[in-house]
Amino acid sequence: MSNTTDLLAEILRLKKKRNAVILAHNYQIKEIQDVADHVGDSLGLSQRAAETDADIIVFCGVHFMGETAKILNPGKTVVIPDLDAGCSLSDSCPADKLEAFLEKHAAKNYFVIAYINCSAGVKALADVICTSGNAVKIVEAAPKERPILFVPDQNLGAWVTEQTGRPMDLWQGSCYVHMEYTRDSIERARAEHPDALVVAHPECPQAVRLLADEVCSTEKMVSYCKNSTSKAFVIVTEDGMLHRLRRECPDKVFISGPTDTCACAECRYMKRNTLEKLYLCLRDLKPEITMDEDLRVKAEKSVRRMLELSR
Ligand code: 13P
Ligand code: SF4
């Protein structure tokens, strides 16, 4: 089946038949965002996953997002459109490397805060999880007497330290998409669009964050742009975000933040998902996320702690 109208009709029919919920991250292609039940950031979608009474969760995002939904819903079937939709940031912190690091530095008694962009294995080693939407709050709630190890994103970690004043040891991981933005590319965008505000994701490097009018998670970008009196915005994050913003704020102008080589930045993992693959995974209920129960139980503790602190 390749016709978009037929695919959409089949997706809606199967969703009803299977009592499924479709969750889509803000970076998904517009056709997926438009057919989803909920579109949002990592925090909002994990909250939706925690409270759903659907039997099947279809997570249109990347692998760690599907895993998080499974961690919270061991009794439900969780499927994702493409099992190879990974994440460079998650890959930058393998669980065995983190475990070896923690063993080597056991005397430090680290309180480990893991950005949600990590594997279930890393979540199982963490004391608490955070997203870009709640990282400041989670760090502020960390025990004062223990040093913090923040994994895996050095940029988000550095930004949180700038916001809270709390020093942290940072794992040297990064998101390859947000690392494509540079001071030069943002200065160029500012010169071309002098009336636009620059809104950047905290996964961007410091030189880029310093040039932004606002630094926030993808969901907060929506409320920031809605509530701002400005009419135009340069959006410095993955390009799927522009569809969500245009849908929510039809009277405003959104410009893709350019990189040094491209007019926008796209995540090759997020973009593996297509309408056709979404249809197939609803039809066949695969690829399914499965997980060792011991691992799931360990990972659930740190995810639940985050959800409690985010209420
Ligand atoms: P948020 O949507 O939670 O801000 O995360 C961005 C991201 O990089 C997800 O992979
Ligand atoms: Fe991972 Fe970056 Fe893609 Fe998000 S945008 S899924 S952090 S590679």
Side-chain angles (χ1 to χ4, degrees):
M1 200 181 305
S2 57
N3 176 299
T4 303
T5 318
D6 292 349
L7 277 173
L8 287 172
E10 270 305 285
I11 288 168
L12 292 174
R13 186 185 69 77
L14 286 166
K15 188 177 74 128
K16 198 166 174 200
K17 180 177 155 199
R18 298 198 178 286
N19 187 27
V21 65
I22 302 177
L23 306 179
H25 187 264
N26 287 321
Y27 296 164
Q28 291 297 285
I29 57 168
K30 62 181 188 315
E31 292 81 3
I32 291 183
Q33 290 195 32
D34 290 347
V35 79
D37 295 295
H38 305 289
V39 183
D41 67 352
S42 310
L43 177 61
L45 294 176
S46 49
Q47 286 166 331
R48 296 288 184 182
E51 68 202 17
T52 185
D53 53 12
D55 297 318
I56 313 282
I57 299 174
V58 185
F59 213 121
C60 299
V62 291
H63 191 266
F64 75 79
M65 296 180 171
E67 266 193 346
T68 308
K70 186 68 185 176
I71 288 166
L72 293 165
N73 293 282
K76 294 189 197 294
T77 301
V78 178
V79 288
I80 60 175
D82 190 318
L83 214 46
D84 292 328
C87 168
S88 71
L89 182 52
S90 175
D91 290 349
S92 67
C93 184
D96 58 345
K97 285 226 172 88
L98 175 59
E99 193 168 22
F101 180 91
L102 290 172
E103 266 167 30
K104 190 171 165 199
H105 300 281
K108 285 235 180 196
N109 191 23
Y110 274 122
F111 185 79
V112 181
I113 303 184
Y115 186 30
I116 198 165
N117 296 34
C118 65
S119 66
V122 168
K123 288 185 174 76
L125 292 168
D127 291 288
V128 65
I129 303 304
C130 74
T131 71
S132 53
N134 63 16
V136 167
K137 203 172 178 182
I138 299 288
V139 168
E140 279 171 345
K144 299 280 176 279
E145 65 284 4
R146 287 174 69 187
I148 297 177
L149 175 66
F150 189 93
V151 304
D153 190 9
Q154 58 182 301
N155 291 308
L156 177 66
W159 176 72
V160 176
T161 289
E162 288 157 20
Q163 302 302 300
T164 60
R166 178 93 193 245
M168 303 192 287
D169 287 344
L170 308 177
W171 195 267
Q172 295 300 296
S174 58
C175 159
Y176 90 96
V177 180
H178 291 88
M179 289 301 275
E180 285 178 7
Y181 298 108
T182 63
R183 185 205 310 241
D184 280 1
S185 73
I186 303 308
E187 276 176 350
R188 238 181 22 249
R190 269 221 185 276
E192 276 171 36
H193 309 282
D195 296 332
L197 294 180
V198 173
V199 184
H201 196 275
E203 286 174 24
C204 292
Q206 190 193 38
V208 169
R209 296 196 309 270
L210 287 174
L211 288 174
D213 295 292
E214 176 67 5
V215 177
C216 59
S217 75
T218 60
E219 199 57 34
K220 287 191 185 155
M221 287 182 183
V222 177
S223 47
Y224 177 79
C225 295
K226 255 188 196 165
N227 296 330
S228 167
T229 51
S230 180
K231 287 278 170 234
F233 305 86
V234 174
I235 301 300
V236 187
T237 195
E238 210 272 354
D239 210 45
M241 191 62 216
L242 276 88
H243 178 65
R244 172 82 199 281
L245 287 164
R246 287 177 181 139
R247 215 167 79 163
E248 301 264 357
C249 314
D251 55 329
K252 303 204 171 180
V253 176
F254 296 99
I255 302 140
S256 298
T259 70
D260 281 341
T261 51
C262 273
C264 67
E266 286 200 337
C267 172
R268 62 173 171 266
Y269 305 107
M270 288 280 180
K271 266 32 189 192
R272 288 189 70 86
N273 296 336
T274 62
L275 216 47
E276 176 96 24
K277 289 182 193 171
L278 168 56
Y279 155 69
L280 290 173
C281 87
L282 260 169
R283 189 191 70 182
D284 305 334
L285 294 188
K286 62 180 191 194
E288 185 181 352
I289 303 279
T290 55
M291 201 177 296
D292 173 82
E293 181 59 8
D294 282 351
L295 175 67
R296 191 200 67 76
V297 170
K298 281 187 195 139
E300 187 179 11
K301 262 198 215 156
S302 56
V303 178
R304 292 262 174 222
R305 191 172 288 169
M306 171 190 80
L307 292 175
E308 270 154 37
L309 288 168
S310 310
R311 273 195 206 140

